[in-house]
Amino acid sequence: MAPDQALFQGKQKLNIALCGLGRYANVLKTGLAASQHCRLAGIVTGTPAKAAEWKRAYNIPDKNSYTYQTFDQISANPAIDLVYITLPNGLHKEYVLRAAKAGKHVIVEKPMAFTEQDCQEMIAACRRAGVQLAVGYRLHYDPHHIELKRLGQNKVFGQVRLIEASLGYRLEGISPDDWHLKKALAGGGPLMNLGVYCVQSGRYVLGEEPSAVTAQFGPVTMPQLFKEVEENITWQLYFPSGAICTSSSTSNCNVDRFFASADEGYFELQLALSYGPFQGRTSQAVFNFPVVNQQAAQLDDIAAHILANKPLPAHISGEEGCKDMRVIEAIYQAARTGRKITLA
């Protein structure tokens, strides 16, 4: 059931339901509060105490509060325009398909799904339903990352030859029951949950798709935790221009940096791929960009397109999420086999 576009005529705000009220939903609620074109209108949670707390804090009526069992009833609720899915990775596909079937536009967090095939099925379902599908690429709206893209794609310092982009957090002390450690819910370890930012940054800054991948699993230093998913992984992306992007994603230590070397200079960020505050510079000058609410900027751009009945920009579309997943699958294949994997 496609949404009735007449409902959006003259509408100033998009009504959003958050599906999953975990850590990132608590970040998003600040972005929703700062948004000019979005409103937190509904919630989906399996925890009654969370439902009660969020309804009270954000004046959410009972009719806009759903459980995972009652979620499909959202199709009959015109007070919800879009569902923002912040569930564990393994639930992304199911809830995108259900939201599309309900006739709601969708934003899904990264990684989009477990496989490229999953992503293609999600894109197709949204297309059939006449709804738009976005992936939560919040960094695309941060001025530091907009500048990285300009410097790389416009070859401001000539051809980029090397990118180093890495992200990791030390997870010692995390509960062994945390979903990030479970293959069925996470799909993998730090590559799935953090490495997607590194893959995305290399592709986005170069404006190219990698032609080949090599990768290596790192040591397991916390075997009591990492029984199902990798703890450390390093990989190399080879691009048609000759550029190489080397990355590490880890649960063993804290790292958060981006560095690019070009023929006539360099540019870098550190912190780089998390929430900031970012600090960057080129070989000529220090960056001087404002701190922005990444979530609010992302939400407002998505809302502006949907309210105007315009297609979402390609760089935040489901197709973009699918491209990242294609590379991630190749990285895992390269690490498992020890072979260089060619991406046609």
Side-chain angles (χ1 to χ4, degrees):
M1 180 177 66
D4 182 355
Q5 291 303 327
L7 295 174
F8 296 106
Q9 295 299 318
K11 194 170 186 177
Q12 297 300 309
K13 290 202 173 189
L14 203 66
N15 292 322
I16 292 181
L18 290 181
C19 183
L21 301 183
R23 182 192 63 82
Y24 194 61
N26 281 280
V27 175
L28 273 171
K29 67 186 182 185
T30 304
L32 281 162
S35 168
Q36 299 298 305
H37 301 298
C38 295
R39 176 188 295 111
L40 176 57
I43 53 173
V44 185
T45 179
T47 307
K50 284 185 181 179
E53 176 187 346
W54 281 65
K55 285 192 291 185
R56 181 174 59 252
Y58 300 101
N59 296 316
I60 295 170
D62 289 342
K63 68 182 182 66
N64 291 0
S65 177
Y66 297 88
T67 67
Y68 302 121
Q69 290 71 37
T70 65
F71 175 78
D72 300 316
Q73 297 173 17
I74 205 169
S75 63
N77 190 346
I80 303 295
D81 302 317
L82 180 148
V83 177
Y84 197 138
I85 297 166
T86 61
L87 294 164
N89 307 337
L91 299 173
H92 287 181
K93 179 183 177 182
E94 174 188 348
Y95 280 86
V96 166
L97 297 182
R98 290 171 71 177
K101 186 177 180 180
K104 305 302 179 183
H105 298 293
V106 193
I107 306 173
V108 63
E109 266 308 310
K110 309 168 297 297
M112 185 174 165
F114 279 1
T115 67
E116 181 185 7
Q117 179 61 39
D118 286 343
C119 296
Q120 290 172 345
E121 291 176 26
M122 294 154 73
I123 292 166
C126 289
R127 188 177 294 122
R128 284 194 304 270
V131 300
Q132 299 216 55
L133 172 62
V135 182
Y137 288 117
R138 59 182 169 79
L139 293 180
H140 289 202
Y141 296 94
D142 186 278
H144 298 80
H145 283 263
I146 293 170
E147 178 69 354
L148 294 185
K149 176 190 173 186
R150 185 186 74 85
L151 293 170
Q153 292 196 15
N154 293 356
K155 296 182 170 57
V156 172
F157 294 103
Q159 175 62 51
V160 174
R161 301 295 177 183
L162 173 70
I163 290 177
E164 295 178 349
S166 294
L167 185 61
Y169 300 103
R170 181 156 176 80
L171 295 188
E172 184 181 38
I174 193 174
S175 168
D177 295 324
D178 189 282
W179 70 263
H180 291 89
L181 304 175
K182 307 301 180 184
K183 180 83 169 180
L185 286 176
L191 174 57
M192 286 289 282
N193 291 298
L194 302 174
V196 63
Y197 289 93
C198 308
V199 169
Q200 170 63 203
S201 66
R203 291 181 49 249
Y204 195 50
V205 169
L206 289 168
E208 298 181 73
E209 296 302 316
S211 56
V213 177
T214 51
Q216 306 80 37
F217 287 121
V220 178
T221 67
M222 294 178 277
Q224 73 281 10
L225 296 178
F226 291 90
K227 300 175 182 178
E228 299 184 27
V229 299
E230 82 277 358
E231 180 184 329
N232 298 283
I233 187 168
T234 297
W235 66 94
Q236 302 78 38
L237 305 183
Y238 302 85
F239 290 86
S241 64
I244 298 174
C245 181
T246 297
S247 298
S248 292
S249 193
T250 177
S251 300
N252 177 256
C253 67
N254 297 318
V255 58
D256 183 1
R257 69 185 303 269
F258 175 97
F259 176 87
S261 181
D263 287 342
E264 300 162 17
Y266 68 84
F267 46 99
E268 65 180 340
L269 285 183
Q270 188 169 342
L271 305 169
L273 300 168
S274 57
Y275 300 105
F278 301 138
Q279 293 185 334
R281 62 176 181 173
T282 73
S283 45
Q284 294 181 348
V286 174
F287 286 175
N288 183 24
F289 296 113
V291 175
V292 301
N293 187 306
Q294 299 163 358
Q295 290 77 18
Q298 168 197 293
L299 287 163
D300 278 339
D301 187 56
I302 291 171
H305 282 81
I306 291 176
L307 290 171
N309 196 23
K310 294 179 179 178
L312 291 172
H315 69 91
I316 57 164
S317 67
E319 285 79 4
E320 184 72 8
C322 190
K323 290 175 182 177
D324 273 346
M325 200 60 241
R326 178 170 176 259
V327 177
I328 288 173
E329 281 192 276
I331 292 170
Y332 276 129
Q333 184 182 358
R336 286 193 303 267
T337 64
R339 295 188 290 111
K340 189 174 190 176
I341 304 301
T342 300
L343 292 165

mmCIF file of all heavy atoms in Angstrom, residues 8-52:
data_model
loop_
_atom_site.group_PDB
_atom_site.id
_atom_site.type_symbol
_atom_site.label_atom_id
_atom_site.label_comp_id
_atom_site.label_asym_id
_atom_site.label_seq_id
_atom_site.Cartn_x
_atom_site.Cartn_y
_atom_site.Cartn_z
ATOM 1 N N PHE A 8 0.816 14.711 1.775
ATOM 2 C CA PHE A 8 2.014 15.486 2.022
ATOM 3 C C PHE A 8 1.916 16.913 1.495
ATOM 4 O O PHE A 8 2.800 17.724 1.753
ATOM 5 C CB PHE A 8 3.231 14.789 1.402
ATOM 6 C CG PHE A 8 3.540 13.447 2.023
ATOM 7 C CD1 PHE A 8 3.260 12.273 1.355
ATOM 8 C CD2 PHE A 8 4.096 13.370 3.290
ATOM 9 C CE1 PHE A 8 3.535 11.038 1.927
ATOM 10 C CE2 PHE A 8 4.375 12.151 3.868
ATOM 11 C CZ PHE A 8 4.088 10.985 3.187
ATOM 12 N N GLN A 9 0.866 17.213 0.731
ATOM 13 C CA GLN A 9 0.736 18.543 0.150
ATOM 14 C C GLN A 9 0.601 19.594 1.256
ATOM 15 O O GLN A 9 -0.305 19.545 2.074
ATOM 16 C CB GLN A 9 -0.484 18.604 -0.779
ATOM 17 C CG GLN A 9 -0.370 17.703 -1.999
ATOM 18 C CD GLN A 9 0.800 18.057 -2.884
ATOM 19 O OE1 GLN A 9 1.059 19.238 -3.124
ATOM 20 N NE2 GLN A 9 1.523 17.056 -3.357
ATOM 21 N N GLY A 10 1.535 20.525 1.283
ATOM 22 C CA GLY A 10 1.492 21.598 2.267
ATOM 23 C C GLY A 10 1.932 21.195 3.657
ATOM 24 O O GLY A 10 1.939 22.020 4.574
ATOM 25 N N LYS A 11 2.305 19.933 3.819
ATOM 26 C CA LYS A 11 2.708 19.455 5.139
ATOM 27 C C LYS A 11 4.104 19.984 5.462
ATOM 28 O O LYS A 11 4.997 19.980 4.611
ATOM 29 C CB LYS A 11 2.698 17.925 5.126
ATOM 30 C CG LYS A 11 2.759 17.281 6.492
ATOM 31 C CD LYS A 11 2.500 15.772 6.351
ATOM 32 C CE LYS A 11 2.403 15.112 7.706
ATOM 33 N NZ LYS A 11 2.093 13.669 7.575
ATOM 34 N N GLN A 12 4.312 20.413 6.687
ATOM 35 C CA GLN A 12 5.575 21.015 7.075
ATOM 36 C C GLN A 12 6.525 20.033 7.770
ATOM 37 O O GLN A 12 7.730 20.237 7.770
ATOM 38 C CB GLN A 12 5.324 22.202 8.019
ATOM 39 C CG GLN A 12 4.533 23.320 7.369
ATOM 40 C CD GLN A 12 5.225 23.895 6.161
ATOM 41 O OE1 GLN A 12 6.388 24.254 6.218
ATOM 42 N NE2 GLN A 12 4.508 23.981 5.053
ATOM 43 N N LYS A 13 5.957 18.980 8.355
ATOM 44 C CA LYS A 13 6.798 18.033 9.090
ATOM 45 C C LYS A 13 6.417 16.597 8.750
ATOM 46 O O LYS A 13 5.252 16.288 8.507
ATOM 47 C CB LYS A 13 6.684 18.247 10.601
ATOM 48 C CG LYS A 13 7.327 19.544 11.086
ATOM 49 C CD LYS A 13 7.684 19.475 12.561
ATOM 50 C CE LYS A 13 8.467 20.708 12.983
ATOM 51 N NZ LYS A 13 9.011 20.589 14.347
ATOM 52 N N LEU A 14 7.430 15.757 8.752
ATOM 53 C CA LEU A 14 7.252 14.334 8.518
ATOM 54 C C LEU A 14 7.138 13.644 9.872
ATOM 55 O O LEU A 14 7.964 13.869 10.761
ATOM 56 C CB LEU A 14 8.461 13.804 7.752
ATOM 57 C CG LEU A 14 8.301 12.522 6.941
ATOM 58 C CD1 LEU A 14 7.328 12.738 5.785
ATOM 59 C CD2 LEU A 14 9.657 12.075 6.402
ATOM 60 N N ASN A 15 6.128 12.823 10.031
ATOM 61 C CA ASN A 15 5.908 12.119 11.299
ATOM 62 C C ASN A 15 6.660 10.792 11.289
ATOM 63 O O ASN A 15 6.390 9.925 10.457
ATOM 64 C CB ASN A 15 4.416 11.864 11.512
ATOM 65 C CG ASN A 15 3.666 13.154 11.751
ATOM 66 O OD1 ASN A 15 4.168 14.061 12.416
ATOM 67 N ND2 ASN A 15 2.464 13.265 11.210
ATOM 68 N N ILE A 16 7.567 10.639 12.235
ATOM 69 C CA ILE A 16 8.484 9.499 12.254
ATOM 70 C C ILE A 16 8.234 8.617 13.465
ATOM 71 O O ILE A 16 8.057 9.105 14.583
ATOM 72 C CB ILE A 16 9.941 9.990 12.251
ATOM 73 C CG1 ILE A 16 10.246 10.655 10.896
ATOM 74 C CG2 ILE A 16 10.922 8.854 12.518
ATOM 75 C CD1 ILE A 16 11.646 11.157 10.743
ATOM 76 N N ALA A 17 8.241 7.302 13.214
ATOM 77 C CA ALA A 17 8.202 6.314 14.294
ATOM 78 C C ALA A 17 9.566 5.658 14.396
ATOM 79 O O ALA A 17 10.112 5.187 13.389
ATOM 80 C CB ALA A 17 7.131 5.258 14.025
ATOM 81 N N LEU A 18 10.140 5.642 15.591
ATOM 82 C CA LEU A 18 11.402 4.943 15.827
ATOM 83 C C LEU A 18 11.108 3.485 16.133
ATOM 84 O O LEU A 18 10.329 3.177 17.042
ATOM 85 C CB LEU A 18 12.155 5.581 16.995
ATOM 86 C CG LEU A 18 12.745 6.973 16.763
ATOM 87 C CD1 LEU A 18 13.470 7.453 18.022
ATOM 88 C CD2 LEU A 18 13.699 6.974 15.578
ATOM 89 N N CYS A 19 11.741 2.601 15.387
ATOM 90 C CA CYS A 19 11.550 1.163 15.568
ATOM 91 C C CYS A 19 12.793 0.597 16.234
ATOM 92 O O CYS A 19 13.827 0.393 15.587
ATOM 93 C CB CYS A 19 11.301 0.503 14.212
ATOM 94 S SG CYS A 19 10.965 -1.260 14.308
ATOM 95 N N GLY A 20 12.684 0.352 17.538
ATOM 96 C CA GLY A 20 13.831 -0.049 18.346
ATOM 97 C C GLY A 20 14.290 1.123 19.184
ATOM 98 O O GLY A 20 14.704 2.152 18.644
ATOM 99 N N LEU A 21 14.213 0.989 20.499
ATOM 100 C CA LEU A 21 14.519 2.113 21.396
ATOM 101 C C LEU A 21 15.795 1.863 22.187
ATOM 102 O O LEU A 21 15.854 2.074 23.393
ATOM 103 C CB LEU A 21 13.333 2.373 22.337
ATOM 104 C CG LEU A 21 12.009 2.706 21.654
ATOM 105 C CD1 LEU A 21 10.937 3.010 22.696
ATOM 106 C CD2 LEU A 21 12.152 3.873 20.677
ATOM 107 N N GLY A 22 16.833 1.423 21.498
ATOM 108 C CA GLY A 22 18.119 1.177 22.128
ATOM 109 C C GLY A 22 19.001 2.405 22.124
ATOM 110 O O GLY A 22 18.527 3.554 22.073
ATOM 111 N N ARG A 23 20.324 2.171 22.114
ATOM 112 C CA ARG A 23 21.290 3.256 22.259
ATOM 113 C C ARG A 23 21.142 4.308 21.167
ATOM 114 O O ARG A 23 21.103 5.510 21.445
ATOM 115 C CB ARG A 23 22.717 2.685 22.236
ATOM 116 C CG ARG A 23 23.810 3.731 22.427
ATOM 117 C CD ARG A 23 25.170 3.166 22.114
ATOM 118 N NE ARG A 23 25.266 2.765 20.718
ATOM 119 C CZ ARG A 23 25.523 3.605 19.716
ATOM 120 N NH1 ARG A 23 25.704 4.890 19.965
ATOM 121 N NH2 ARG A 23 25.598 3.179 18.480
ATOM 122 N N TYR A 24 21.066 3.877 19.908
ATOM 123 C CA TYR A 24 21.052 4.880 18.855
ATOM 124 C C TYR A 24 19.733 5.645 18.797
ATOM 125 O O TYR A 24 19.709 6.811 18.408
ATOM 126 C CB TYR A 24 21.370 4.270 17.490
ATOM 127 C CG TYR A 24 21.683 5.338 16.467
ATOM 128 C CD1 TYR A 24 22.762 6.199 16.659
ATOM 129 C CD2 TYR A 24 20.896 5.529 15.343
ATOM 130 C CE1 TYR A 24 23.055 7.213 15.758
ATOM 131 C CE2 TYR A 24 21.172 6.534 14.426
ATOM 132 C CZ TYR A 24 22.253 7.376 14.646
ATOM 133 O OH TYR A 24 22.531 8.394 13.759
ATOM 134 N N ALA A 25 18.653 5.026 19.191
ATOM 135 C CA ALA A 25 17.387 5.759 19.253
ATOM 136 C C ALA A 25 17.493 6.926 20.230
ATOM 137 O O ALA A 25 16.903 7.992 20.013
ATOM 138 C CB ALA A 25 16.251 4.829 19.663
ATOM 139 N N ASN A 26 18.268 6.745 21.285
ATOM 140 C CA ASN A 26 18.451 7.826 22.254
ATOM 141 C C ASN A 26 19.314 8.951 21.699
ATOM 142 O O ASN A 26 19.226 10.086 22.155
ATOM 143 C CB ASN A 26 19.048 7.268 23.546
ATOM 144 C CG ASN A 26 18.008 6.601 24.414
ATOM 145 O OD1 ASN A 26 17.267 7.260 25.132
ATOM 146 N ND2 ASN A 26 17.932 5.275 24.341
ATOM 147 N N VAL A 27 20.167 8.627 20.712
ATOM 148 C CA VAL A 27 20.895 9.680 19.996
ATOM 149 C C VAL A 27 19.956 10.382 19.019
ATOM 150 O O VAL A 27 19.943 11.610 18.909
ATOM 151 C CB VAL A 27 22.109 9.077 19.253
ATOM 152 C CG1 VAL A 27 22.803 10.146 18.404
ATOM 153 C CG2 VAL A 27 23.090 8.445 20.230
ATOM 154 N N LEU A 28 19.158 9.603 18.320
ATOM 155 C CA LEU A 28 18.257 10.156 17.311
ATOM 156 C C LEU A 28 17.203 11.094 17.888
ATOM 157 O O LEU A 28 16.788 12.051 17.227
ATOM 158 C CB LEU A 28 17.564 9.024 16.558
ATOM 159 C CG LEU A 28 18.299 8.454 15.358
ATOM 160 C CD1 LEU A 28 17.589 7.215 14.858
ATOM 161 C CD2 LEU A 28 18.415 9.491 14.242
ATOM 162 N N LYS A 29 16.770 10.821 19.102
ATOM 163 C CA LYS A 29 15.716 11.675 19.649
ATOM 164 C C LYS A 29 16.190 13.121 19.798
ATOM 165 O O LYS A 29 15.383 14.052 19.669
ATOM 166 C CB LYS A 29 15.206 11.119 20.982
ATOM 167 C CG LYS A 29 16.184 11.143 22.133
ATOM 168 C CD LYS A 29 15.613 10.431 23.352
ATOM 169 C CE LYS A 29 16.547 10.486 24.549
ATOM 170 N NZ LYS A 29 16.040 9.700 25.696
ATOM 171 N N THR A 30 17.495 13.314 20.024
ATOM 172 C CA THR A 30 18.041 14.668 20.076
ATOM 173 C C THR A 30 18.009 15.305 18.693
ATOM 174 O O THR A 30 17.673 16.487 18.537
ATOM 175 C CB THR A 30 19.487 14.635 20.601
ATOM 176 O OG1 THR A 30 19.511 13.984 21.870
ATOM 177 C CG2 THR A 30 20.041 16.036 20.764
ATOM 178 N N GLY A 31 18.336 14.500 17.665
ATOM 179 C CA GLY A 31 18.266 14.993 16.304
ATOM 180 C C GLY A 31 16.849 15.329 15.892
ATOM 181 O O GLY A 31 16.601 16.328 15.207
ATOM 182 N N LEU A 32 15.902 14.503 16.306
ATOM 183 C CA LEU A 32 14.495 14.782 15.999
ATOM 184 C C LEU A 32 14.033 16.072 16.672
ATOM 185 O O LEU A 32 13.287 16.864 16.081
ATOM 186 C CB LEU A 32 13.630 13.608 16.451
ATOM 187 C CG LEU A 32 13.638 12.399 15.515
ATOM 188 C CD1 LEU A 32 13.132 11.157 16.234
ATOM 189 C CD2 LEU A 32 12.791 12.683 14.279
ATOM 190 N N ALA A 33 14.493 16.292 17.882
ATOM 191 C CA ALA A 33 14.104 17.519 18.598
ATOM 192 C C ALA A 33 14.662 18.760 17.905
ATOM 193 O O ALA A 33 14.035 19.827 17.911
ATOM 194 C CB ALA A 33 14.586 17.453 20.039
ATOM 195 N N ALA A 34 15.846 18.624 17.291
ATOM 196 C CA ALA A 34 16.482 19.760 16.620
ATOM 197 C C ALA A 34 16.037 19.905 15.171
ATOM 198 O O ALA A 34 16.327 20.920 14.532
ATOM 199 C CB ALA A 34 18.001 19.603 16.660
ATOM 200 N N SER A 35 15.340 18.923 14.655
ATOM 201 C CA SER A 35 14.928 18.921 13.246
ATOM 202 C C SER A 35 13.870 19.990 12.969
ATOM 203 O O SER A 35 12.997 20.258 13.788
ATOM 204 C CB SER A 35 14.374 17.542 12.886
ATOM 205 O OG SER A 35 13.716 17.564 11.645
ATOM 206 N N GLN A 36 13.941 20.554 11.776
ATOM 207 C CA GLN A 36 12.949 21.532 11.340
ATOM 208 C C GLN A 36 11.771 20.879 10.623
ATOM 209 O O GLN A 36 10.687 21.443 10.563
ATOM 210 C CB GLN A 36 13.603 22.548 10.394
ATOM 211 C CG GLN A 36 14.722 23.353 11.011
ATOM 212 C CD GLN A 36 14.254 24.198 12.178
ATOM 213 O OE1 GLN A 36 13.324 24.992 12.034
ATOM 214 N NE2 GLN A 36 14.896 24.044 13.325
ATOM 215 N N HIS A 37 11.987 19.679 10.088
ATOM 216 C CA HIS A 37 10.984 19.075 9.212
ATOM 217 C C HIS A 37 10.543 17.686 9.650
ATOM 218 O O HIS A 37 9.844 17.004 8.897
ATOM 219 C CB HIS A 37 11.521 18.997 7.781
ATOM 220 C CG HIS A 37 11.889 20.325 7.200
ATOM 221 N ND1 HIS A 37 10.961 21.329 7.010
ATOM 222 C CD2 HIS A 37 13.083 20.820 6.790
ATOM 223 C CE1 HIS A 37 11.570 22.393 6.493
ATOM 224 N NE2 HIS A 37 12.848 22.107 6.359
ATOM 225 N N CYS A 38 10.938 17.266 10.850
ATOM 226 C CA CYS A 38 10.556 15.944 11.346
ATOM 227 C C CYS A 38 9.989 16.042 12.753
ATOM 228 O O CYS A 38 10.336 16.948 13.519
ATOM 229 C CB CYS A 38 11.759 14.996 11.370
ATOM 230 S SG CYS A 38 12.417 14.612 9.752
ATOM 231 N N ARG A 39 9.137 15.097 13.074
ATOM 232 C CA ARG A 39 8.532 15.033 14.398
ATOM 233 C C ARG A 39 8.550 13.582 14.877
ATOM 234 O O ARG A 39 8.214 12.675 14.118
ATOM 235 C CB ARG A 39 7.086 15.543 14.329
ATOM 236 C CG ARG A 39 6.323 15.443 15.644
ATOM 237 C CD ARG A 39 4.850 15.782 15.450
ATOM 238 N NE ARG A 39 4.641 17.167 15.049
ATOM 239 C CZ ARG A 39 4.207 17.544 13.856
ATOM 240 N NH1 ARG A 39 3.935 16.620 12.925
ATOM 241 N NH2 ARG A 39 4.021 18.814 13.568
ATOM 242 N N LEU A 40 8.952 13.372 16.123
ATOM 243 C CA LEU A 40 8.851 12.040 16.722
ATOM 244 C C LEU A 40 7.384 11.793 17.046
ATOM 245 O O LEU A 40 6.827 12.382 17.960
ATOM 246 C CB LEU A 40 9.706 11.949 17.982
ATOM 247 C CG LEU A 40 9.614 10.631 18.760
ATOM 248 C CD1 LEU A 40 9.973 9.431 17.902
ATOM 249 C CD2 LEU A 40 10.496 10.676 20.009
ATOM 250 N N ALA A 41 6.773 10.911 16.259
ATOM 251 C CA ALA A 41 5.332 10.712 16.383
ATOM 252 C C ALA A 41 4.947 9.343 16.894
ATOM 253 O O ALA A 41 3.821 9.149 17.365
ATOM 254 C CB ALA A 41 4.658 10.936 15.020
ATOM 255 N N GLY A 42 5.874 8.365 16.810
ATOM 256 C CA GLY A 42 5.525 7.011 17.219
ATOM 257 C C GLY A 42 6.737 6.216 17.642
ATOM 258 O O GLY A 42 7.881 6.615 17.411
ATOM 259 N N ILE A 43 6.478 5.080 18.275
ATOM 260 C CA ILE A 43 7.549 4.200 18.748
ATOM 261 C C ILE A 43 7.154 2.752 18.515
ATOM 262 O O ILE A 43 5.975 2.406 18.481
ATOM 263 C CB ILE A 43 7.856 4.416 20.247
ATOM 264 C CG1 ILE A 43 6.579 4.296 21.085
ATOM 265 C CG2 ILE A 43 8.569 5.749 20.480
ATOM 266 C CD1 ILE A 43 6.811 4.328 22.595
ATOM 267 N N VAL A 44 8.196 1.914 18.379
ATOM 268 C CA VAL A 44 8.020 0.465 18.288
ATOM 269 C C VAL A 44 9.039 -0.161 19.228
ATOM 270 O O VAL A 44 10.242 0.045 19.072
ATOM 271 C CB VAL A 44 8.245 -0.052 16.853
ATOM 272 C CG1 VAL A 44 7.939 -1.544 16.779
ATOM 273 C CG2 VAL A 44 7.412 0.728 15.846
ATOM 274 N N THR A 45 8.568 -0.902 20.210
ATOM 275 C CA THR A 45 9.470 -1.500 21.187
ATOM 276 C C THR A 45 8.840 -2.750 21.775
ATOM 277 O O THR A 45 7.605 -2.861 21.829
ATOM 278 C CB THR A 45 9.812 -0.505 22.323
ATOM 279 O OG1 THR A 45 10.688 -1.146 23.267
ATOM 280 C CG2 THR A 45 8.564 -0.034 23.050
ATOM 281 N N GLY A 46 9.703 -3.656 22.218
ATOM 282 C CA GLY A 46 9.215 -4.853 22.878
ATOM 283 C C GLY A 46 9.262 -4.752 24.385
ATOM 284 O O GLY A 46 8.973 -5.727 25.083
ATOM 285 N N THR A 47 9.619 -3.574 24.901
ATOM 286 C CA THR A 47 9.787 -3.390 26.342
ATOM 287 C C THR A 47 8.717 -2.436 26.870
ATOM 288 O O THR A 47 8.776 -1.217 26.591
ATOM 289 C CB THR A 47 11.185 -2.822 26.655
ATOM 290 O OG1 THR A 47 12.171 -3.646 26.036
ATOM 291 C CG2 THR A 47 11.423 -2.768 28.156
ATOM 292 N N PRO A 48 7.729 -2.921 27.613
ATOM 293 C CA PRO A 48 6.644 -2.046 28.105
ATOM 294 C C PRO A 48 7.147 -0.844 28.898
ATOM 295 O O PRO A 48 6.590 0.253 28.766
ATOM 296 C CB PRO A 48 5.804 -2.987 28.974
ATOM 297 C CG PRO A 48 6.061 -4.358 28.401
ATOM 298 C CD PRO A 48 7.488 -4.343 27.970
ATOM 299 N N ALA A 49 8.195 -1.027 29.697
ATOM 300 C CA ALA A 49 8.701 0.094 30.493
ATOM 301 C C ALA A 49 9.255 1.205 29.596
ATOM 302 O O ALA A 49 9.058 2.389 29.875
ATOM 303 C CB ALA A 49 9.782 -0.400 31.460
ATOM 304 N N LYS A 50 9.932 0.823 28.525
ATOM 305 C CA LYS A 50 10.432 1.831 27.578
ATOM 306 C C LYS A 50 9.264 2.542 26.902
ATOM 307 O O LYS A 50 9.296 3.771 26.722
ATOM 308 C CB LYS A 50 11.320 1.177 26.519
ATOM 309 C CG LYS A 50 12.715 0.801 26.980
ATOM 310 C CD LYS A 50 13.521 0.282 25.801
ATOM 311 C CE LYS A 50 14.931 -0.124 26.226
ATOM 312 N NZ LYS A 50 15.719 -0.653 25.083
ATOM 313 N N ALA A 51 8.261 1.782 26.515
ATOM 314 C CA ALA A 51 7.094 2.391 25.863
ATOM 315 C C ALA A 51 6.469 3.434 26.768
ATOM 316 O O ALA A 51 6.168 4.564 26.332
ATOM 317 C CB ALA A 51 6.083 1.316 25.495
ATOM 318 N N ALA A 52 6.285 3.094 28.030
ATOM 319 C CA ALA A 52 5.675 4.026 28.968
ATOM 320 C C ALA A 52 6.523 5.278 29.144
ATOM 321 O O ALA A 52 6.008 6.409 29.160
ATOM 322 C CB ALA A 52 5.451 3.337 30.314
#
